[in-house]
């Protein structure tokens, strides 16, 4: 199995910054995509940023220019640097990873437990 553990959430004032981290562990043979989604109260979970194994990271329009996702592939870790935070960024942020755990198997999607980010106005 694969475990994703997020850290770095919290309370910050509008205009401030936070850095989220997510480390994947377990019986991992390889990881292709890693990224972040978020879910605000009463809303559906939405994509924030997704990083492929190689290539360009995709961001939602609402965070482009403010958030930066980065990976440390040797540590199976992904980070999300969030700058110029706005109250509308308030949500539970979930880490996701596509991980292969068996030889010849595909990459299954795994989720972290979520970390709360609250931006006060």
């Amino acid at each position: 199995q694969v475990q994703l553990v997020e850290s770095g959430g919290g309370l910050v004032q509008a205009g401030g910054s936070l850095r989220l981290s997510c480390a994947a562990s377990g019986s991992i043979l390889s990881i292709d995509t890693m990224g972040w989604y978020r879910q605000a109260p009463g809303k559906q979970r939405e994509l924030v940023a997704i990083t492929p194994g190689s290539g360009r990271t995709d961001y939602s329009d609402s965070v482009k220019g403010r958030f930066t996702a980065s990976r440390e592939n040797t540590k199976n870790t992904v980070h999300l640097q969030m700058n110029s935070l706005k109250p509308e960024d308030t949500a539970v942020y979930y880490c996701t990873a596509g991980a292969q755990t068996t030889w010849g198997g595909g990459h299954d999607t795994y989720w972290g437990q979520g970390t709360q980010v609250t931006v006060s106005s």
Side-chain angles (χ1 to χ4, degrees), residues 2-120:
V2 176
Q3 296 82 40
L4 301 179
V5 178
E6 300 118 334
S7 60
L11 173 65
V12 66
Q13 288 188 334
S17 298
L18 282 175
R19 179 177 170 88
L20 306 182
S21 296
C22 170
S25 63
S27 304
I28 299 170
L29 298 178
S30 69
I31 293 179
D32 52 12
T33 59
M34 293 192 82
W36 297 90
Y37 282 71
R38 68 186 181 187
Q39 187 166 19
K43 295 187 176 181
Q44 291 187 333
R45 190 173 297 190
E46 64 174 2
L47 171 71
V48 176
I50 196 79
T51 66
S54 61
R56 190 178 64 184
T57 298
D58 286 329
Y59 297 93
S60 72
D61 289 341
S62 61
V63 306
K64 279 181 182 176
R66 301 187 298 122
F67 291 10
T68 303
S70 60
R71 287 176 64 164
E72 294 184 72
N73 289 329
T74 58
K75 297 181 180 179
N76 290 335
T77 297
V78 63
H79 307 284
L80 185 69
Q81 179 65 43
M82 304 185 293
N83 298 328
S84 302
L85 282 160
K86 304 175 181 180
E88 51 263 44
D89 294 318
T90 295
V92 177
Y93 284 69
Y94 296 91
C95 173
T96 184
Q100 180 190 22
T101 59
T102 59
W103 293 108
H107 288 79
D108 296 322
T109 300
Y110 295 88
W111 295 90
Q113 80 285 357
T115 185
Q116 178 70 45
V117 171
T118 302
V119 184
S120 62

